[in-house]
Amino acid sequence: MEILPTSASPTTTIEVGANAEDRATAYLIDRGYTIVERNFEIKAGELDIIARDGAILVFVEVRSRANADHGHAVEMITPAKQRQVARIAGFYLQLRRPAYDEIRFDVVAITGDEILLVQDAWRL
């Protein structure tokens, strides 16, 4: 049996996704965001990261691609995905009842080693 070092590249889609969310979380914290919750999940789907940027409650969708051979990760945020995230955010607001002045939808797109933060990526 071969034991892989802990720095081995992620192999499953779950590991890849978790790694991307870890990188996105660190990136957001470095930019002054406060992480409220990760991986809020209901039957309708999941919110990757819920954070605060000052008084703004931010729902962050994380997308990643190993490289740009098939396009940038930011291109993976379709109108259907935006609607799904917004719908789940509505459930989050009903269930958690957080205090907020306004909400915003951000995207962290990771393509290879490049991390792109798109603030206010879409509006309802």
Side-chain angles (χ1 to χ4, degrees), residues 1-71:
M1 180 168 126
E2 181 177 302
I3 298 175
L4 297 174
T6 56
S7 62
S9 296
T11 55
T12 69
T13 55
I14 292 171
E15 290 171 332
V16 169
N19 180 270
E21 288 178 15
D22 289 344
R23 290 177 64 195
T25 297
Y27 188 84
L28 293 169
I29 290 170
D30 285 348
R31 275 140 194 83
Y33 287 60
T34 301
I35 305 304
V36 174
E37 190 169 344
R38 286 179 57 177
N39 303 313
F40 171 80
E41 190 171 357
I42 59 174
K43 286 184 181 183
E46 177 185 33
L47 296 172
D48 294 329
I49 301 171
I50 299 101
R52 290 196 175 274
D53 184 14
I56 302 170
L57 185 65
V58 185
F59 297 98
V60 183
E61 179 65 15
V62 179
R63 285 288 178 238
S64 68
R65 283 197 166 154
N67 55 54
D69 290 351
H70 299 287

Side-chain angles (χ1 to χ4, degrees), residues 61-63 65 72-86 105 107 121-123:
E61 179 65 15
V62 179
R63 285 288 178 238
R65 283 197 166 154
H72 196 281
V74 76
E75 297 168 3
M76 298 169 63
I77 306 296
T78 65
K81 184 62 176 178
Q82 293 172 6
R83 286 189 301 274
Q84 180 187 27
V85 170
F105 296 95
V107 172
W122 72 87
R123 296 196 177 211

